Coordinates of all heavy atoms in Angstrom, one line a residue:
M1 N -1.0 -9.9 -3.0 CA -2.3 -10.0 -2.3 C -3.0 -11.2 -2.9 O -2.9 -11.5 -4.1 CB -3.1 -8.7 -2.5 CG -4.4 -8.7 -1.8 SD -5.3 -7.1 -1.9 CE -4.2 -6.0 -1.1
F2 N -3.9 -11.8 -2.2 CA -4.7 -12.9 -2.7 C -5.6 -12.5 -3.8 O -6.2 -11.5 -3.6 CB -5.5 -13.5 -1.5 CG -4.7 -14.4 -0.6 CD1 -3.3 -14.4 -0.5 CD2 -5.4 -15.2 0.3 CE1 -2.6 -15.2 0.4 CE2 -4.7 -16.1 1.1 CZ -3.3 -16.1 1.2
D3 N -5.7 -13.2 -4.8 CA -6.6 -12.9 -5.9 C -8.0 -12.9 -5.3 O -8.9 -12.2 -5.8 CB -6.5 -13.9 -7.0 CG -5.2 -13.7 -7.8 OD1 -4.7 -12.6 -7.8 OD2 -4.7 -14.6 -8.5
R4 N -8.3 -13.8 -4.4 CA -9.7 -13.9 -3.8 C -10.1 -12.7 -3.2 O -11.3 -12.3 -3.1 CB -9.6 -15.1 -2.8 CG -11.0 -15.3 -2.1 CD -11.0 -16.6 -1.4 NE -12.1 -16.7 -0.5 CZ -13.4 -17.0 -0.9 NH1 -13.6 -17.2 -2.1 NH2 -14.3 -17.1 0.0
F5 N -9.2 -11.8 -2.7 CA -9.5 -10.6 -2.1 C -9.9 -9.5 -3.0 O -10.5 -8.5 -2.7 CB -8.3 -10.1 -1.2 CG -7.9 -10.9 0.0 CD1 -6.8 -10.6 0.7 CD2 -8.7 -12.0 0.4 CE1 -6.4 -11.4 1.8 CE2 -8.4 -12.8 1.5 CZ -7.2 -12.4 2.2
K6 N -9.8 -9.8 -4.3 CA -10.2 -8.8 -5.3 C -11.7 -8.7 -5.5 O -12.2 -7.7 -6.0 CB -9.5 -9.1 -6.7 CG -8.0 -8.9 -6.6 CD -7.4 -9.2 -7.9 CE -5.8 -9.0 -7.8 NZ -5.2 -9.3 -9.1
S7 N -12.4 -9.8 -5.2 CA -13.8 -9.9 -5.5 C -14.6 -9.8 -4.3 O -15.8 -10.2 -4.1 CB -14.1 -11.2 -6.2 OG -13.8 -12.3 -5.4
L8 N -14.1 -9.1 -3.3 CA -14.9 -8.9 -1.9 C -16.0 -7.9 -2.1 O -16.0 -7.0 -3.0 CB -13.9 -8.3 -0.9 CG -12.7 -9.2 -0.5 CD1 -11.8 -8.4 0.4 CD2 -13.2 -10.5 0.1
T9 N -17.0 -8.1 -1.3 CA -18.1 -7.1 -1.3 C -18.3 -6.7 0.2 O -17.9 -7.3 1.1 CB -19.4 -7.8 -1.8 OG1 -19.8 -8.9 -0.9 CG2 -19.3 -8.2 -3.3
L10 N -19.0 -5.5 0.3 CA -19.2 -5.0 1.7 C -20.5 -5.6 2.2 O -21.5 -5.5 1.6 CB -19.3 -3.5 1.6 CG -18.0 -2.7 1.3 CD1 -18.5 -1.3 1.1 CD2 -17.1 -2.8 2.5
P11 N -20.5 -6.1 3.4 CA -21.7 -6.6 4.1 C -22.5 -5.3 4.6 O -22.0 -4.2 4.8 CB -21.3 -7.4 5.2 CG -19.9 -6.9 5.5 CD -19.3 -6.4 4.2
T12 N -23.8 -5.5 4.6 CA -24.7 -4.4 5.2 C -24.7 -4.4 6.7 O -25.1 -3.5 7.3 CB -26.1 -4.5 4.7 OG1 -26.6 -5.7 4.9 CG2 -26.1 -4.2 3.1
S13 N -24.3 -5.6 7.3 CA -24.4 -5.8 8.7 C -23.2 -5.3 9.6 O -23.3 -5.4 10.8 CB -24.7 -7.3 9.0 OG -23.5 -8.0 8.6
V14 N -22.2 -4.9 8.9 CA -21.0 -4.4 9.6 C -20.2 -3.4 8.8 O -20.2 -3.4 7.6 CB -20.1 -5.7 9.9 CG1 -19.5 -6.3 8.7 CG2 -19.0 -5.3 10.9
D15 N -19.7 -2.4 9.5 CA -18.9 -1.3 8.8 C -17.5 -1.4 9.3 O -17.2 -1.9 10.4 CB -19.6 0.0 9.3 CG -19.0 1.2 8.5 OD1 -19.3 1.3 7.3 OD2 -18.2 1.9 9.1
F16 N -16.5 -0.8 8.4 CA -15.2 -0.8 8.8 C -14.9 -0.2 10.1 O -14.1 -0.7 10.9 CB -14.4 -0.1 7.7 CG -12.9 -0.1 7.9 CD1 -12.2 -1.3 7.5 CD2 -12.2 0.8 8.6 CE1 -10.8 -1.4 7.7 CE2 -10.8 0.7 8.8 CZ -10.2 -0.4 8.4
A17 N -15.7 0.9 10.5 CA -15.5 1.5 11.8 C -15.8 0.6 12.9 O -15.2 0.8 14.1 CB -16.4 2.8 11.8
D18 N -16.6 -0.4 12.7 CA -16.9 -1.3 13.8 C -15.7 -2.1 14.3 O -15.6 -2.7 15.4 CB -18.0 -2.4 13.4 CG -19.2 -1.7 13.1 OD1 -19.6 -0.7 13.6 OD2 -20.0 -2.3 12.3
L19 N -14.6 -2.1 13.4 CA -13.3 -2.8 13.9 C -12.7 -2.1 15.1 O -12.0 -2.7 15.8 CB -12.3 -2.8 12.8 CG -12.5 -3.7 11.6 CD1 -11.5 -3.5 10.5 CD2 -12.3 -5.2 12.1
A20 N -13.0 -0.8 15.3 CA -12.4 0.0 16.3 C -10.9 -0.2 16.3 O -10.2 -0.4 17.3 CB -13.0 -0.4 17.7
F21 N -10.4 0.0 15.1 CA -8.9 -0.1 14.8 C -8.1 0.9 15.6 O -8.5 2.0 15.6 CB -8.7 0.0 13.3 CG -7.5 -0.6 12.7 CD1 -7.1 -1.8 13.0 CD2 -6.7 0.1 11.8 CE1 -5.9 -2.4 12.5 CE2 -5.6 -0.4 11.2 CZ -5.2 -1.6 11.6
R22 N -7.1 0.4 16.3 CA -6.4 1.3 17.2 C -5.0 0.8 17.4 O -4.6 -0.3 17.1 CB -7.2 1.4 18.6 CG -7.3 0.1 19.3 CD -8.4 0.1 20.3 NE -8.6 -1.2 21.0 CZ -9.2 -2.2 20.5 NH1 -9.7 -2.3 19.3 NH2 -9.3 -3.4 21.2
V23 N -4.2 1.7 18.1 CA -2.8 1.4 18.3 C -2.7 1.3 19.9 O -3.3 2.1 20.6 CB -1.8 2.5 17.9 CG1 -0.4 2.3 18.4 CG2 -1.9 2.6 16.4
D24 N -2.1 0.2 20.4 CA -1.9 0.1 21.8 C -0.4 -0.3 22.0 O 0.0 -1.4 21.7 CB -2.8 -1.1 22.3 CG -2.6 -1.3 23.8 OD1 -2.2 -0.3 24.5 OD2 -2.9 -2.4 24.3
G25 N 0.4 0.8 22.3 CA 1.8 0.6 22.6 C 2.4 0.3 21.2 O 2.5 1.2 20.3
T26 N 2.9 -0.9 21.0 CA 3.6 -1.3 19.7 C 2.7 -2.3 18.8 O 3.2 -2.8 17.9 CB 4.9 -1.9 20.0 OG1 4.7 -3.1 20.7 CG2 5.8 -1.0 20.7
D27 N 1.4 -2.3 19.2 CA 0.6 -3.2 18.4 C -0.6 -2.5 17.9 O -1.2 -1.5 18.4 CB 0.0 -4.4 19.4 CG 1.1 -5.3 19.8 OD1 2.0 -5.6 19.1 OD2 1.0 -5.8 21.0
Y28 N -1.1 -3.0 16.7 CA -2.4 -2.6 16.1 C -3.4 -3.6 16.6 O -3.2 -4.8 16.6 CB -2.3 -2.7 14.6 CG -1.6 -1.5 14.0 CD1 -0.3 -1.6 13.6 CD2 -2.2 -0.3 13.9 CE1 0.4 -0.6 13.1 CE2 -1.6 0.8 13.4 CZ -0.3 0.7 12.9 OH 0.4 1.8 12.4
L29 N -4.4 -3.1 17.1 CA -5.6 -3.9 17.7 C -6.8 -3.6 17.0 O -7.1 -2.5 16.5 CB -5.7 -3.7 19.2 CG -4.5 -3.9 20.1 CD1 -4.9 -3.5 21.5 CD2 -4.0 -5.4 20.0
Y30 N -7.8 -4.6 17.0 CA -9.1 -4.4 16.4 C -10.0 -5.4 17.0 O -9.6 -6.4 17.7 CB -9.0 -4.6 14.9 CG -8.6 -6.1 14.5 CD1 -9.5 -7.0 14.2 CD2 -7.3 -6.3 14.3 CE1 -9.1 -8.3 13.9 CE2 -6.8 -7.6 13.9 CZ -7.8 -8.6 13.8 OH -7.4 -9.8 13.4
E31 N -11.3 -5.1 16.9 CA -12.3 -5.9 17.4 C -12.5 -7.1 16.5 O -12.7 -7.0 15.3 CB -13.7 -5.3 17.6 CG -13.6 -4.1 18.6 CD -13.3 -4.6 20.0 OE1 -13.8 -5.7 20.4 OE2 -12.5 -3.9 20.7
A32 N -12.3 -8.4 17.0 CA -12.4 -9.5 16.1 C -13.8 -9.9 15.5 O -13.8 -10.3 14.4 CB -11.9 -10.7 16.9
R33 N -14.8 -9.6 16.3 CA -16.2 -10.0 15.8 C -16.5 -9.3 14.5 O -17.0 -10.0 13.6 CB -17.2 -9.7 16.9 CG -18.6 -10.3 16.5 CD -19.4 -10.3 17.7 NE -18.8 -11.3 18.6 CZ -19.4 -11.8 19.7 NH1 -20.6 -11.4 20.0 NH2 -18.8 -12.7 20.4
P34 N -16.3 -8.0 14.3 CA -16.7 -7.3 13.0 C -15.8 -8.0 11.8 O -16.3 -8.2 10.8 CB -16.4 -5.9 13.2 CG -16.5 -5.7 14.7 CD -16.0 -7.0 15.3
F35 N -14.6 -8.2 12.2 CA -13.7 -8.8 11.2 C -14.2 -10.2 10.8 O -14.2 -10.6 9.6 CB -12.2 -8.8 11.6 CG -11.3 -9.3 10.6 CD1 -11.0 -8.5 9.4 CD2 -10.6 -10.5 10.7 CE1 -10.1 -8.9 8.5 CE2 -9.7 -10.9 9.7 CZ -9.4 -10.1 8.6
L36 N -14.6 -11.0 11.7 CA -15.1 -12.3 11.5 C -16.4 -12.2 10.7 O -16.6 -13.0 9.7 CB -15.4 -13.0 12.8 CG -16.0 -14.4 12.7 CD1 -15.0 -15.3 12.0 CD2 -16.3 -15.0 14.2
R37 N -17.2 -11.2 10.9 CA -18.5 -11.1 10.1 C -18.2 -10.7 8.7 O -18.8 -11.2 7.8 CB -19.4 -10.0 10.8 CG -20.0 -10.6 12.1 CD -20.7 -9.6 12.9 NE -21.7 -8.8 12.3 CZ -22.2 -7.7 12.7 NH1 -21.8 -7.2 13.9 NH2 -23.1 -7.1 12.1
F38 N -17.2 -9.8 8.5 CA -16.7 -9.5 7.2 C -16.3 -10.7 6.4 O -16.6 -10.9 5.3 CB -15.7 -8.4 7.2 CG -15.1 -8.0 5.9 CD1 -15.9 -7.1 5.0 CD2 -14.0 -8.4 5.4 CE1 -15.4 -6.7 3.8 CE2 -13.5 -8.1 4.1 CZ -14.2 -7.2 3.4
C39 N -15.4 -11.5 7.1 CA -14.8 -12.7 6.5 C -16.0 -13.6 6.2 O -16.0 -14.2 5.0 CB -13.9 -13.3 7.4 SG -12.3 -12.5 7.6
H40 N -16.9 -13.8 7.1 CA -18.1 -14.8 6.8 C -18.9 -14.3 5.6 O -19.2 -15.2 4.8 CB -18.9 -14.9 8.1 CG -20.1 -15.8 8.0 ND1 -19.9 -17.2 7.9 CD2 -21.4 -15.6 7.8 CE1 -21.1 -17.8 7.8 NE2 -22.0 -16.7 7.7
H41 N -19.1 -13.0 5.5 CA -19.9 -12.5 4.4 C -19.2 -12.8 3.1 O -19.9 -13.1 2.1 CB -20.0 -10.9 4.5 CG -20.6 -10.3 3.4 ND1 -22.0 -10.3 3.1 CD2 -20.0 -9.6 2.4 CE1 -22.2 -9.6 2.0 NE2 -21.0 -9.2 1.5
N42 N -17.9 -12.8 3.1 CA -17.1 -13.0 1.9 C -16.6 -14.5 1.7 O -15.7 -14.8 0.9 CB -16.0 -12.0 1.7 CG -16.4 -10.7 1.4 OD1 -16.8 -10.4 0.2 ND2 -16.5 -9.8 2.4
E43 N -17.1 -15.3 2.6 CA -16.8 -16.8 2.5 C -15.3 -17.0 2.7 O -14.7 -17.8 1.9 CB -17.4 -17.4 1.3 CG -18.9 -17.3 1.2 CD -19.5 -17.9 0.0 OE1 -18.7 -18.3 -0.9 OE2 -20.8 -17.9 -0.1
I44 N -14.7 -16.4 3.6 CA -13.3 -16.5 3.9 C -13.2 -17.1 5.3 O -13.8 -16.5 6.3 CB -12.5 -15.2 3.8 CG1 -12.5 -14.7 2.4 CG2 -11.1 -15.3 4.3 CD1 -12.1 -13.3 2.2
A45 N -12.4 -18.1 5.5 CA -12.2 -18.7 6.9 C -11.1 -17.9 7.5 O -9.9 -18.0 7.3 CB -11.8 -20.1 6.7
M46 N -11.5 -16.9 8.4 CA -10.5 -16.1 9.2 C -9.4 -16.9 9.9 O -8.3 -16.5 9.9 CB -11.2 -15.2 10.1 CG -10.4 -14.3 10.9 SD -11.3 -13.2 12.0 CE -10.9 -14.0 13.5
T47 N -9.9 -18.1 10.4 CA -8.8 -18.9 11.1 C -7.7 -19.4 10.3 O -6.7 -19.8 10.8 CB -9.6 -20.0 11.8 OG1 -10.2 -20.8 10.9 CG2 -10.5 -19.5 12.9
H48 N -7.9 -19.4 9.0 CA -6.9 -19.9 8.1 C -5.9 -18.7 7.5 O -5.1 -19.0 6.7 CB -7.5 -20.6 6.8 CG -8.2 -21.9 7.2 ND1 -9.5 -22.1 7.0 CD2 -7.8 -23.0 7.9 CE1 -9.8 -23.3 7.4 NE2 -8.7 -23.8 8.1
L49 N -6.2 -17.6 8.0 CA -5.4 -16.4 7.6 C -4.2 -16.1 8.5 O -4.4 -16.1 9.8 CB -6.2 -15.2 7.5 CG -7.5 -15.2 6.5 CD1 -8.3 -13.9 6.7 CD2 -6.9 -15.3 5.1
G50 N -3.1 -15.9 8.0 CA -1.9 -15.5 8.8 C -2.1 -14.0 9.1 O -2.9 -13.3 8.6
V51 N -1.2 -13.5 9.9 CA -1.1 -12.0 10.2 C -1.0 -11.1 9.0 O -1.8 -10.2 8.8 CB 0.0 -11.6 11.2 CG1 0.1 -10.2 11.4 CG2 -0.2 -12.4 12.5
S52 N -0.2 -11.4 8.1 CA 0.0 -10.6 6.9 C -1.2 -10.7 6.0 O -1.6 -9.7 5.4 CB 1.2 -10.9 6.1 OG 1.2 -12.2 5.6
Q53 N -1.8 -11.8 5.9 CA -3.0 -12.0 5.1 C -4.2 -11.3 5.7 O -5.0 -10.6 5.0 CB -3.4 -13.4 5.0 CG -2.4 -14.2 4.2 CD -2.5 -15.7 4.4 OE1 -3.0 -16.2 5.3 NE2 -2.1 -16.4 3.4
R54 N -4.3 -11.2 7.1 CA -5.4 -10.4 7.8 C -5.2 -9.0 7.4 O -6.1 -8.2 7.2 CB -5.4 -10.7 9.2 CG -5.9 -12.0 9.6 CD -5.9 -12.3 11.1 NE -6.3 -13.6 11.3 CZ -6.7 -14.1 12.5 NH1 -7.0 -13.3 13.4 NH2 -7.0 -15.4 12.7
C55 N -3.9 -8.5 7.5 CA -3.6 -7.1 7.2 C -4.0 -6.8 5.8 O -4.6 -5.7 5.5 CB -2.1 -6.9 7.4 SG -1.6 -5.2 7.2
E56 N -3.7 -7.6 4.8 CA -4.1 -7.4 3.4 C -5.6 -7.3 3.3 O -6.1 -6.4 2.6 CB -3.5 -8.5 2.6 CG -2.0 -8.4 2.4 CD -1.5 -9.6 1.5 OE1 -2.3 -10.1 0.6 OE2 -0.3 -10.0 1.7
L57 N -6.3 -8.2 3.9 CA -7.7 -8.2 3.9 C -8.4 -7.0 4.5 O -9.3 -6.4 3.9 CB -8.2 -9.5 4.5 CG -9.7 -9.7 4.5 CD1 -10.3 -9.7 3.1 CD2 -10.1 -11.1 5.2
M58 N -7.8 -6.6 5.6 CA -8.3 -5.3 6.2 C -8.0 -4.1 5.3 O -8.9 -3.2 5.2 CB -7.6 -5.1 7.6 CG -8.2 -5.8 8.7 SD -7.6 -5.4 10.3 CE -7.8 -6.9 11.2
Q59 N -6.9 -4.1 4.7 CA -6.6 -3.0 3.7 C -7.6 -3.0 2.5 O -8.1 -1.9 2.1 CB -5.2 -3.1 3.2 CG -4.2 -2.7 4.3 CD -2.8 -2.6 3.7 OE1 -2.4 -1.7 3.0 NE2 -2.0 -3.7 4.1
R60 N -7.9 -4.2 2.1 CA -8.9 -4.3 1.0 C -10.3 -3.9 1.4 O -11.0 -3.2 0.7 CB -8.9 -5.7 0.4 CG -9.8 -5.9 -0.7 CD -9.3 -5.2 -2.0 NE -10.3 -5.4 -3.1 CZ -10.9 -4.4 -3.6 NH1 -10.7 -3.1 -3.2 NH2 -11.8 -4.6 -4.6
W61 N -10.7 -4.3 2.6 CA -11.9 -3.9 3.2 C -12.0 -2.3 3.3 O -12.9 -1.7 2.9 CB -12.1 -4.5 4.5 CG -13.5 -4.2 5.2 CD1 -14.5 -3.4 4.7 CD2 -13.8 -4.6 6.5 NE1 -15.6 -3.4 5.6 CE2 -15.1 -4.1 6.7 CE3 -13.2 -5.3 7.5 CZ2 -15.8 -4.3 8.0 CZ3 -13.9 -5.5 8.7 CH2 -15.2 -5.0 8.9
Y62 N -10.9 -1.7 3.7 CA -10.8 -0.3 3.8 C -10.9 0.3 2.4 O -11.6 1.4 2.3 CB -9.5 0.1 4.5 CG -9.3 1.6 4.8 CD1 -10.2 2.3 5.6 CD2 -8.3 2.3 4.3 CE1 -10.1 3.6 5.9 CE2 -8.1 3.7 4.5 CZ -9.1 4.3 5.3 OH -8.9 5.6 5.6
D63 N -10.3 -0.2 1.5 CA -10.4 0.3 0.1 C -11.9 0.3 -0.4 O -12.4 1.3 -0.9 CB -9.7 -0.5 -0.9 CG -8.1 -0.4 -0.8 OD1 -7.6 0.6 -0.3 OD2 -7.5 -1.3 -1.3
L64 N -12.6 -0.8 -0.1 CA -14.0 -0.9 -0.4 C -14.8 0.2 0.4 O -15.7 0.8 -0.2 CB -14.5 -2.3 -0.2 CG -14.0 -3.4 -1.1 CD1 -14.4 -4.8 -0.5 CD2 -14.4 -3.2 -2.5
H65 N -14.5 0.3 1.6 CA -15.1 1.2 2.5 C -15.0 2.6 2.0 O -16.0 3.4 1.9 CB -14.5 1.1 3.9 CG -14.7 2.2 4.9 ND1 -16.0 2.3 5.6 CD2 -14.1 3.3 5.3 CE1 -16.0 3.3 6.3 NE2 -14.8 4.0 6.2
L66 N -13.8 3.0 1.6 CA -13.6 4.4 1.0 C -14.3 4.5 -0.3 O -14.9 5.6 -0.6 CB -12.1 4.7 0.8 CG -11.3 4.8 2.1 CD1 -9.8 5.0 1.7 CD2 -11.7 6.0 3.0
A67 N -14.3 3.5 -1.2 CA -14.9 3.6 -2.5 C -16.4 3.8 -2.3 O -17.0 4.4 -3.2 CB -14.6 2.4 -3.3
A68 N -17.0 3.3 -1.2 CA -18.4 3.4 -1.0 C -18.7 4.7 -0.3 O -19.9 4.9 0.1 CB -18.9 2.2 -0.1
G69 N -17.8 5.6 -0.1 CA -18.0 6.9 0.5 C -17.8 6.9 2.0 O -18.1 7.9 2.7
G70 N -17.2 5.9 2.6 CA -16.9 5.9 4.0 C -15.8 6.8 4.4 O -15.0 7.3 3.6
A71 N -15.9 7.1 5.7 CA -14.9 8.1 6.3 C -13.5 7.5 6.4 O -13.4 6.3 6.6 CB -15.4 8.5 7.6
R72 N -12.5 8.3 6.2 CA -11.1 7.9 6.4 C -10.9 7.5 7.9 O -11.5 8.1 8.8 CB -10.2 9.0 6.0 CG -10.3 9.3 4.6 CD -8.9 9.9 4.1 NE -8.9 10.0 2.7 CZ -8.5 9.0 1.8 NH1 -8.1 7.9 2.2 NH2 -8.5 9.2 0.5
D73 N -10.1 6.5 8.0 CA -9.7 6.0 9.4 C -8.3 6.4 9.7 O -7.4 6.0 8.9 CB -9.8 4.5 9.4 CG -9.5 3.9 10.8 OD1 -8.3 3.7 11.1 OD2 -10.5 3.8 11.6
P74 N -8.0 7.3 10.7 CA -6.6 7.7 10.8 C -5.6 6.6 11.2 O -4.5 6.7 10.9 CB -6.8 8.8 12.0 CG -8.1 8.5 12.7 CD -9.0 7.8 11.6
V75 N -6.1 5.6 11.9 CA -5.2 4.5 12.2 C -4.8 3.7 11.0 O -3.7 3.4 10.8 CB -5.8 3.6 13.3 CG1 -4.8 2.4 13.6 CG2 -6.1 4.4 14.6
M76 N -5.8 3.5 10.1 CA -5.5 2.7 8.8 C -4.6 3.5 8.0 O -3.6 3.1 7.3 CB -6.7 2.2 8.1 CG -6.4 1.5 6.9 SD -5.4 0.0 7.0 CE -6.6 -1.2 7.4
E77 N -4.9 4.8 7.9 CA -4.1 5.7 7.1 C -2.6 5.7 7.6 O -1.6 5.7 6.8 CB -4.6 7.2 7.1 CG -5.9 7.4 6.5 CD -5.9 7.2 4.9 OE1 -4.8 7.5 4.3 OE2 -6.9 6.7 4.4
N78 N -2.4 5.7 8.9 CA -1.1 5.7 9.5 C -0.4 4.3 9.2 O 0.8 4.3 8.9 CB -1.1 5.9 11.0 CG 0.3 6.1 11.5 OD1 0.9 7.2 11.3 ND2 0.8 5.1 12.2
L79 N -1.2 3.3 9.3 CA -0.6 1.9 9.0 C -0.1 1.9 7.6 O 0.9 1.4 7.3 CB -1.6 0.9 9.2 CG -1.2 -0.5 8.8 CD1 0.0 -1.0 9.5 CD2 -2.4 -1.5 9.0
R80 N -0.9 2.4 6.6 CA -0.5 2.5 5.2 C 0.7 3.3 5.0 O 1.6 3.0 4.2 CB -1.7 3.0 4.4 CG -2.8 2.0 4.2 CD -3.8 2.5 3.3 NE -4.5 1.2 2.8 CZ -5.5 1.3 2.0 NH1 -5.9 2.5 1.5 NH2 -6.2 0.2 1.5
A81 N 0.9 4.4 5.7 CA 2.0 5.3 5.6 C 3.2 4.5 6.1 O 4.4 4.6 5.5 CB 1.8 6.6 6.4
E82 N 3.1 3.8 7.2 CA 4.2 3.0 7.8 C 4.6 1.9 6.7 O 5.9 1.7 6.6 CB 3.8 2.3 9.1 CG 3.6 3.2 10.2 CD 3.1 2.5 11.5 OE1 3.1 1.2 11.5 OE2 2.5 3.2 12.3
I83 N 3.7 1.2 6.2 CA 4.0 0.1 5.2 C 4.7 0.8 4.0 O 5.7 0.3 3.6 CB 2.7 -0.6 4.8 CG1 2.2 -1.4 5.9 CG2 2.9 -1.5 3.5 CD1 0.8 -1.9 5.7
A84 N 4.3 1.9 3.5 CA 4.9 2.6 2.4 C 6.3 3.0 2.7 O 7.2 2.8 1.9 CB 4.1 3.8 2.0
A85 N 6.6 3.5 3.9 CA 7.9 3.9 4.3 C 8.8 2.7 4.5 O 9.9 2.7 4.0 CB 7.8 4.7 5.7
E86 N 8.3 1.6 5.0 CA 9.1 0.4 5.2 C 9.4 -0.1 3.8 O 10.5 -0.6 3.6 CB 8.4 -0.6 6.0 CG 8.4 -0.2 7.5 CD 7.5 -1.1 8.4 OE1 6.9 -2.1 7.9 OE2 7.3 -0.7 9.6
D87 N 8.5 -0.1 2.8 CA 8.7 -0.6 1.5 C 9.8 0.3 0.8 O 10.6 -0.3 0.1 CB 7.5 -0.6 0.7 CG 6.5 -1.7 1.1 OD1 6.9 -2.6 1.8 OD2 5.3 -1.7 0.6
R88 N 9.8 1.6 1.0 CA 10.8 2.4 0.4 C 12.1 2.0 0.9 O 13.1 2.2 0.2 CB 10.4 3.9 0.7 CG 9.4 4.5 -0.2 CD 9.3 6.0 0.0 NE 9.1 6.5 1.3 CZ 7.9 6.6 1.9 NH1 6.9 6.3 1.3 NH2 7.9 7.1 3.1
L89 N 12.2 1.7 2.2 CA 13.5 1.3 2.7 C 13.8 -0.2 2.6 O 14.7 -0.7 3.1 CB 13.5 1.6 4.2 CG 13.4 3.1 4.5 CD1 13.2 3.4 6.0 CD2 14.6 3.8 4.1
Q90 N 12.9 -0.9 1.7 CA 13.1 -2.3 1.4 C 13.2 -3.1 2.7 O 14.0 -4.0 2.8 CB 14.3 -2.5 0.5 CG 14.2 -1.7 -0.8 CD 15.5 -1.7 -1.6 OE1 16.5 -2.3 -1.2 NE2 15.4 -1.3 -2.8
G91 N 12.3 -2.9 3.6 CA 12.3 -3.7 4.8 C 13.5 -3.6 5.8 O 13.7 -4.3 6.7
G92 N 14.3 -2.5 5.6 CA 15.5 -2.3 6.4 C 15.2 -1.8 7.8 O 15.9 -2.1 8.7
I93 N 14.0 -1.3 8.0 CA 13.6 -0.9 9.4 C 12.1 -1.1 9.6 O 11.4 -1.3 8.6 CB 13.9 0.6 9.7 CG1 13.1 1.5 8.8 CG2 15.4 0.9 9.5 CD1 13.0 2.9 9.3
Q94 N 11.7 -1.1 10.8 CA 10.3 -1.1 11.1 C 10.0 0.2 11.8 O 10.7 0.6 12.7 CB 9.9 -2.3 12.0 CG 9.7 -3.6 11.2 CD 9.1 -4.7 12.0 OE1 9.4 -4.8 13.2 NE2 8.1 -5.3 11.5
I95 N 8.9 0.8 11.4 CA 8.4 2.0 12.0 C 7.4 1.7 13.1 O 6.4 0.9 12.7 CB 7.8 2.9 11.0 CG1 8.9 3.3 9.9 CG2 7.2 4.2 11.6 CD1 8.5 4.1 8.7
P96 N 7.5 2.1 14.3 CA 6.5 1.8 15.3 C 5.1 2.3 14.9 O 5.0 3.3 14.4 CB 7.1 2.5 16.6 CG 8.5 2.7 16.3 CD 8.6 2.9 14.8
P97 N 4.1 1.6 15.4 CA 2.7 1.9 15.1 C 2.5 3.4 15.6 O 2.9 3.8 16.7 CB 1.9 1.0 15.9 CG 2.8 -0.2 15.9 CD 4.1 0.2 16.0
G98 N 1.7 4.1 14.8 CA 1.4 5.5 15.2 C 2.4 6.6 15.0 O 2.2 7.7 15.4
T99 N 3.5 6.2 14.3 CA 4.5 7.3 14.2 C 4.9 7.6 12.7 O 5.8 8.3 12.5 CB 5.8 6.8 14.9 OG1 6.3 5.6 14.2 CG2 5.6 6.5 16.4
A100 N 4.2 7.0 11.8 CA 4.5 7.4 10.4 C 4.0 8.8 10.0 O 3.1 9.3 10.6 CB 3.8 6.4 9.4

């Protein structure tokens, strides 16, 4: 994970739930504007992030959200379970979104 992601702070103008994180078929989708606002607050250029970096950043945001007393997000919890299962199998398979 990027060291820069360790010093993130939560903005007051946007909440993790504003991402409207969801599964659509085989893809994870989210609203880009809240993510852009989170990145802007933390002085991160979203356009310079690859897919895996965006995922890491969202997971870090979620960690901060939970630490601040925010509600669990079932889609992010499922994504984390998928990542953990794939890591256990050393990348041998991919688990479809929403099925972990």
Side-chain angles (χ1 to χ4, degrees):
M1 185 178 294
F2 281 18
D3 288 337
R4 178 164 169 82
F5 292 174
K6 292 179 182 178
S7 61
L8 299 173
T9 61
L10 290 172
T12 57
S13 63
V14 65
D15 188 72
F16 187 83
D18 296 335
L19 284 172
F21 202 44
R22 61 202 179 277
V23 175
D24 181 23
T26 59
D27 292 323
Y28 283 99
L29 302 177
Y30 61 92
E31 295 299 318
R33 188 165 293 192
F35 187 66
L36 181 61
R37 288 171 53 198
F38 178 79
C39 290
H40 180 73
H41 171 81
N42 285 287
E43 299 178 355
I44 296 170
M46 183 180 99
T47 56
H48 294 123
L49 299 174
V51 173
S52 64
Q53 294 164 333
R54 288 180 189 204
C55 183
E56 289 177 27
L57 182 54
M58 279 187 204
Q59 289 184 72
R60 182 67 184 117
W61 181 6
Y62 185 60
D63 290 339
L64 293 169
H65 165 78
L66 292 176
R72 293 207 171 271
D73 181 275
V75 178
M76 181 55 85
E77 293 291 331
N78 189 73
L79 174 59
R80 285 186 160 179
E82 289 174 21
I83 291 169
E86 289 171 3
D87 286 347
R88 281 192 304 275
L89 296 170
Q90 301 173 352
I93 66 163
Q94 278 194 315
I95 298 171
T99 61

